[in-house]
Amino acid sequence: MIKTGEPDWNDLRYFLAAARAGTLSGAARALGVRHTTISRRLTALEGALGVSLVVRRPHGIEITPLGRKLLPLGDDLERAMQALTALVRSGKNRVRLALPSGFSSLFGQSMAAFHKTHPNINLELTSGSRPVDLQRGEADLAVRVGVVGDDSLIAQKLCVAGWSIYASQRYLDRHPMPIDPRQLAGHEIIGFHASLAGVPGAKWIEAHGAGATTVFRVAEMTEMLAAALSGAGLAVMPCMLAESEPRMLRLAPDILGSHPVSLVYRREIGAEAPVRAVIRFVASVIKDHAVLISGEAR
């Protein structure tokens, strides 16, 4: 293959996506383009470099030895471009904050005050159970529950989130109190999707749920709250979420499990003034609700 010119490094995104997906169609789905676009951009990159990076097979692609050597360099370049993009976005006063399910309600009443104090900062909130990938630029900051395992990220511990066991009156009409949370045999319980197997509630049910019937499994804590309110079963869930709903009844005074709550962000954006303002805002809001989040006060 003859080199015909300088490479367009934007084509590198398509090569990295293809290598990660293993197929052109998988890369196309990841980037939201046609698979023919992936093929064309790969061909353009190979032509500019004068080397073959992939071998097209009937059931996918195979990365050439030289292509495998290029992958870590491509990853470094991608992270550098993402960091540059994040810095530019911060310079434009746009900060994206990702929250776990159930946390957005804590920020609602404080948002107006924040915007009054910082009218030039465009703060965007997203919420969900799936942790966002900060390294890939899915958000600038994230409130994360559980241990943060990425040493390349700054993790500022905010508080501890407690879990306990709850039910609605509809459930208790069928299964009157007292209910021993350590002996759940004979009860209906709301279980957890495999993606949440590491949360305290899932671990409690695994340890004490022998003989119980799992009526269904959820991937979002808001879904668990809705199911418990309907009377479907017992729910071991975050105290903050359950105790914000007056129709939910706590069945045990104890905290059955807990994990840390941290604010996480990339080191390179931590010094930006808009980001620092949001960091202070998040820390203040969580501090104001730390007792509720912990579940300790009854």
Side-chain angles (χ1 to χ4, degrees):
M1 188 175 289
I2 300 174
K3 184 175 180 179
T4 58
E6 291 297 321
D8 178 354
W9 290 110
N10 191 48
D11 292 340
L12 187 63
R13 289 196 310 121
Y14 296 84
F15 168 63
L16 293 175
R20 290 164 184 157
T23 64
L24 299 184
S25 59
R29 286 191 297 271
L31 295 180
V33 299
R34 297 178 180 273
H35 77 276
T36 52
T37 300
I38 303 292
S39 180
R40 176 168 51 82
R41 300 301 288 264
L42 280 175
T43 299
L45 181 62
E46 291 176 318
L49 293 174
V51 296
S52 294
L53 300 176
V54 302
V55 178
R56 292 159 173 80
R57 304 292 189 193
H59 302 294
I61 61 170
E62 178 182 338
I63 308 300
T64 66
L66 189 56
R68 286 195 295 271
K69 292 182 180 179
L70 179 62
L71 281 174
L73 299 176
D75 287 336
D76 290 343
L77 181 58
E78 183 182 57
R79 282 192 290 270
M81 293 304 296
Q82 289 166 349
L84 176 62
T85 300
L87 287 171
V88 170
R89 285 172 176 163
S90 295
K92 293 180 179 178
N93 294 341
R94 173 175 177 250
V95 182
R96 297 162 300 154
L97 171 64
L99 301 171
S101 296
F103 272 71
S104 350
S105 61
L106 303 183
F107 287 80
Q109 296 179 349
S110 303
M111 288 294 289
F114 176 80
H115 284 302
K116 184 177 181 180
T117 306
H118 304 281
N120 297 321
I121 297 179
N122 178 16
L123 176 57
E124 298 179 5
L125 302 183
T126 59
S127 178
S129 63
R130 182 186 72 84
V132 297
D133 192 332
L134 296 177
Q135 297 289 17
R136 296 193 183 282
E138 293 182 354
D140 301 304
L141 302 163
V143 173
R144 193 161 291 175
V145 292
V147 177
V148 179
D150 190 340
D151 292 337
S152 66
L153 297 173
I154 300 296
Q156 177 181 332
K157 185 177 177 181
L158 301 174
C159 66
V160 173
W163 292 56
S164 194
I165 187 167
Y166 298 86
S168 69
Q169 189 59 52
R170 288 185 178 183
Y171 183 84
L172 295 177
D173 288 341
R174 304 197 316 270
H175 299 273
M177 291 285 282
I179 294 175
D180 185 351
R182 291 170 175 78
Q183 298 291 335
L184 298 177
H187 285 281
E188 291 92 43
I189 57 176
I190 302 167
F192 295 81
H193 185 270
S195 62
L196 298 177
V199 303
K203 292 180 178 179
W204 183 268
I205 289 176
E206 182 181 2
H208 303 283
T213 300
T214 301
V215 289
F216 54 87
R217 301 180 186 276
V218 300
E220 293 277 356
M221 290 298 94
T222 49
E223 294 175 354
M224 177 168 281
L225 177 60
L229 285 171
S230 75
L234 299 174
V236 183
M237 61 190 306
C239 300
M240 174 198 71
L241 186 61
E243 295 180 16
S244 297
E245 170 51 66
R247 292 173 293 171
M248 289 296 291
L249 304 174
R250 185 162 167 177
L251 308 182
D254 299 336
I255 298 299
L256 305 184
S258 64
H259 49 193
V261 178
S262 304
L263 179 61
V264 185
Y265 52 93
R266 298 183 304 276
R267 186 181 303 274
E268 63 269 18
I269 72 167
E272 296 295 316
V275 174
R276 296 302 307 172
V278 175
I279 289 173
R280 291 191 297 270
F281 170 62
V282 173
S284 175
V285 170
I286 297 297
K287 181 180 179 181
D288 289 344
H289 295 88
V291 173
L292 172 66
I293 296 170
S294 72
E296 292 288 354
R298 298 298 301 144

